Amino acid sequence: MSLFVTLGRAAALALLLVAGPALAELVPSDAQRQAAAEVAESLRYGHYADVNLDDEWSRQAFDRYLDILDGQRAYLLRRDVDAFDDLATTLDDAVLDGDLSRPFALYRRYHERAEARLSWLLARLDEGLDFGFDGDQRMLLDREDTPWPGSEAALDALWTKRLQNAALTLSISDQSPEQVEDTLRQRYEGQLSRLRQTNEEDVFGLFMAAVTGSIDPHSEYLSPRQSESFDIQMRLSLEGIGALLQADGEYVKVASLVPGGPAERAGVLQPADRIVGVGQEDEEIVNVVGMRLDDVVDMIRGPKGSVVRLDVVPAQAVDMTRSKEVEITRDTVNLEDQAARGEVIEVERDGEMHRLGMIEVPTFYVDFDAWQAGEEDYRSTTRDVAREVERLKAEGVEGIVLDLRDNGGGALQEANSLIGLFIDRGPTVQVRDARGRISLYGDTNSGTLYDGPLVVLVNRLSASASEIFAGAVQDYGRGLVVGNDTFGKGTVQTLDELSHGQIKLTRAKFYRISGESTQHRGVTPDIRFPSLIDPELIGESSLDNALAWDTVRQVQYRQYGEPQRYLETLRERHRRRAEDHPNFHYLERQAKLAERLREQHTSVSLNREQRRREVEAQEAEQLALENQRREALGLEPLEEWIDARDAPQDEVDGDPDASTDAGTATGPDAEPIDRAQVVEAAEILLDFARLDSGLRLAEYD
C-alpha cells in the first residue's frame, strides 16, 4: 500500500464545491441516506477492527464531527454544542437508519455562525483597521482543547485577536496598511463566497469523514467526484507538482512528495511545509489561508510545462511571517522517474580506498499493464534493482546500501520479490484479516542474487512496503537497518462500491515474520540517525485514531546472520564519526532546538516589537547552527536563516569538485545533509563487512 494512497484521508476533510442551493435547502438526499446506512454496515461487518456502532462510538464520532466543523473553537458557542448533545448518544442510530436530519442541522448551525463571523470580519475591514500593535496581548495558537466560548462577546474578543494577528503577520511581511486590508478582504470574501456555495454533497462528505475517521485514519467515504479524482491519482496521470497535501487547521500542509515528481526534483518543498499562497505563472499570488483543501489542490494542478508559484512557510519556521516564494514547473510522473538507480561510493579507511554500492529505491513499482500482457521485459522495482546489483557486483563493491528513504510503498508483490534477491526463498510478511485468518506471503524462488553485506537506509517517510522489506531484512539477520523510525503504516485498505460513492476500508493488518506489527511503531533502526522530520507531525502515530501496535505468532524462518552481535561496536564507531561530522552534528542539535522551540511556541505576541524580538531570537539560534555547519564544510555563511534550505552549495562534504543543483536525493549532486546520511550508511556498511568477515575468518580458523 502506498503512502501516496494512505495519506489520501486528508482529501476526505475537504469540501467539494459547486454552485449550491440556499442554506435552508441543505438537506440529505435519499441517495445519501442510503449510502450512510451502507457505510455503517461496511464498518460493522467489513472493517478490520471490531466496530460497534453504539453510544460510546456515538460520543467519539460526535466529537470528531465537531472537530471537523470547528476544531479551533472559533465559530460555535457552548449553547450551540449543547443544543445538539443528543447526537452524542444517537449518532449510531442516525447512521444505521440513514436518518441524517440532525447531523445536517448541526452543520447548518455551524454554517450560520461561520457566515455571520465572516460578515463581521468584513464589516471591521470596512470600518478600517486601527491596530497599534503596541499592547501586551498574546494569542493562543492551538485552541483544540479549550472550552467552547460562552457568549458572542467572547467570540468577538477571540476574533479581534485573530484579525489583529492576521494584520500583524501581513504587516511584518512588508505590506502597507492598504495592502493588508486588501489582502484580508480578499481572504474573507473568498471564504464567504465558498461557504455560500456549499451543497448537500459537501455536508454529507464532512459527516462521513467524521463517521469513518472515528474508526481509523485510512478508512474514508469517497463521493462520486472524489472517486473519480482518486482513480486519476492511482493512475499517476495527474499533471501537477507531485506533492500530497493535507489539511492542517487553516493551512495546507505538505504531507509527502511523490518520488521523481516535479516538487522533489526542484528541491524547494519538504514534508510539513505549509503553503500560504498560490499563483499562476506571472499572476499575483492568491492567499490560501483558510481555503479548503480541494480548492488549493485545484489551483496547484495545471498543464504540463506551466509554472506554479507557491508562498511557503518552511516546516522549521517558528512564525507564519517567515514565508518565501518558490516556483515549480508542472509535469507528469513517469515510471522512469521512479526507477531504482545505483552508484559506487568510495570510502577511505586507513589509507586504503574501499568501494561500496548504493541503490536508491524511490518506490515499489511494477508496470502492471505490461506484466499482465505477458511482456518479458516489463519494468519493476525487483528487476531494476537486480540490474543494479549485477552492475555493482561487476564493479567489485564490498557491500550494498539500499536507500528506502521517502519510499512510501507501492506494490506489495515487489516487496516480496525484492527480498528474494537477498535470501534463498522464505516468508516476507503476514497479513491478518478481520476474522483473524493469517495469510503468509514471501519469495518462492530458490537462490539469491546477492549474499554480501547489506544495509537498508530508512527515514520517517519510509512506509508500508518499505517497512515490510526493512523489517524482513532485520528479522532474517540479513543486514542492518539504519536511519530513523519508519512511518508505521501497517494496515491494508480496499475500495468498495456503494450505491452512491465508494468506501475505502481498512480490512487487514501487516505483521513481520517475527510476529510484530509494523502498524503505529514502524521499524526501529539498528542505528539511529538524527532527523528534522517531526514525528508529532508526520507518521502514523501523528494521525487520529490510528490502530494500535500488536503481535501475532512468529513464523519459522532461517537466520542468515547475527548482525546484532556487532551493534555495540558499530554504534560507537558511528557516534564518533557523527560527532566530528558537521552535518550530523547540525542535525542532532537542530532536532533538539526545533523540539524546544515547538514546545515554547504555543502563543504569539500581538505586539510588533515583541513579536519581532521573539522571531529574531529564535531564528538567530537556527542561523547560528546552520552557519556552524557551513563553516565546518567550507561554505559561505548565510545572513538569514530563511535562506538556509535553498542556498546554493559550492561543496558537498568538503569536496570542492562536487556541486548541488537540487538533483536526486542521494546522487552525486545531492544536498550535503542527505548525502551525509548516504555516506555514513556506507561507512557503517564497511564497518559491518569488515567485522563480519573477520569473525567468519576467526571461526573458520
Side-chain angles (χ1 to χ4, degrees), residues 10-23:
L13 305 184
L15 298 181
L16 304 178
L17 302 177
V18 296
L23 179 59

Side-chain angles (χ1 to χ4, degrees), residues 212-489:
T212 57
S214 64
I215 306 299
D216 86 289
H218 304 297
S219 294
E220 62 176 318
Y221 167 78
L222 301 175
S223 71
R225 179 181 165 186
Q226 285 175 311
S227 298
E228 180 182 357
S229 178
F230 186 85
D231 290 341
I232 295 173
Q233 289 179 9
M234 291 306 96
R235 293 194 297 269
L236 285 179
S237 60
L238 280 177
E239 292 179 347
I241 65 171
L244 184 62
L245 307 181
Q246 203 172 9
D248 184 21
E250 291 186 314
Y251 299 97
V252 170
K253 179 176 71 176
V254 177
S256 64
L257 302 179
V258 178
E264 186 193 54
R265 293 198 302 266
V268 294
L269 283 183
Q270 297 292 337
D273 284 356
R274 285 153 291 183
I275 298 173
V276 296
V278 179
Q280 310 301 328
E281 297 286 349
D282 296 326
E283 298 178 9
E284 184 179 350
I285 286 185
V286 176
N287 188 282
V288 297
V289 175
M291 191 176 289
R292 291 162 180 167
L293 181 61
D294 275 8
D295 288 335
V296 179
V297 170
D298 287 342
M299 292 174 66
I300 293 175
R301 286 176 182 164
K304 179 179 179 180
S306 61
V307 174
V308 63
R309 294 157 52 229
L310 305 177
D311 193 16
V312 178
V313 178
Q316 298 301 321
V318 294
D319 191 272
M320 295 305 295
T321 64
R322 306 304 288 157
S323 67
K324 69 178 308 175
E325 184 179 318
V326 302
E327 290 186 357
I328 301 175
T329 301
R330 299 179 176 102
D331 200 354
T332 53
V333 180
N334 301 314
L335 189 61
E336 189 63 36
D337 296 324
Q338 300 188 329
R341 46 192 171 267
E343 65 167 300
V344 173
I345 298 174
E346 294 188 337
V347 175
E348 185 177 357
R349 188 72 60 83
D350 301 326
E352 182 181 353
M353 198 63 72
H354 298 264
R355 295 165 60 82
L356 290 309
M358 190 283 296
I359 303 175
E360 181 186 3
V361 186
T363 186
F364 286 89
Y365 55 88
V366 61
D367 188 341
F368 280 109
D369 292 337
W371 174 59
Q372 291 175 341
E375 297 181 15
E376 293 185 0
D377 59 346
Y378 69 89
R379 295 293 299 274
S380 74
T381 296
T382 303
R383 287 178 166 222
D384 287 345
V385 170
R387 182 191 67 245
E388 294 299 318
V389 167
E390 293 281 23
R391 183 176 66 83
L392 292 171
K393 285 167 60 179
E395 295 197 33
V397 298
E398 299 177 49
I400 292 177
V401 175
L402 283 180
D403 185 359
L404 299 186
R405 291 177 302 170
D406 300 343
N407 184 323
L412 177 60
Q413 71 183 60
E414 288 303 305
N416 293 327
S417 59
L418 186 63
I419 194 68
L421 300 181
F422 306 99
I423 66 167
D424 184 11
R425 69 181 165 189
T428 304
V429 63
Q430 304 181 73
V431 180
R432 184 182 188 273
D433 67 16
R435 297 184 180 180
R437 297 175 300 195
I438 295 178
S439 301
L440 195 61
Y441 298 88
D443 170 57
T444 58
N445 296 322
S446 61
T448 60
L449 180 65
Y450 178 75
D451 59 4
L454 183 68
V455 162
V456 179
L457 176 59
V458 296
N459 67 0
R460 187 62 171 175
L461 293 173
S462 304
S464 200
S466 293
E467 298 175 284
I468 291 170
F469 179 85
V473 168
Q474 209 171 46
D475 292 336
Y476 274 113
R478 181 59 190 83
L480 293 166
V481 177
V482 304
N484 312 119
D485 290 344
T486 59
F487 191 91
K489 203 288 182 170

Side-chain angles (χ1 to χ4, degrees), residues 499-564:
S499 61
H500 183 74
Q502 298 175 304
I503 184 170
K504 183 153 68 80
L505 200 63
T506 297
R507 289 188 176 273
K509 208 170 180 182
F510 290 133
Y511 293 85
R512 293 163 58 160
I513 55 177
S514 63
E516 298 179 51
S517 173
T518 57
Q519 170 62 17
H520 207 282
R521 293 186 184 180
V523 175
T524 302
D526 298 304
I527 298 176
R528 192 185 302 273
F529 291 174
S531 172
L532 295 183
I533 298 179
D534 184 356
E536 296 296 318
L537 299 177
I538 300 292
E540 188 78 5
S541 60
S542 72
L543 302 177
D544 293 335
N545 300 316
L547 297 186
W549 177 89
D550 62 349
T551 62
V552 295
R553 183 178 299 176
Q554 77 170 43
V555 298
Q556 289 187 338
Y557 57 93
R558 168 188 171 186
Q559 280 287 326
Y560 282 81
E562 298 179 276
Q564 65 272 13

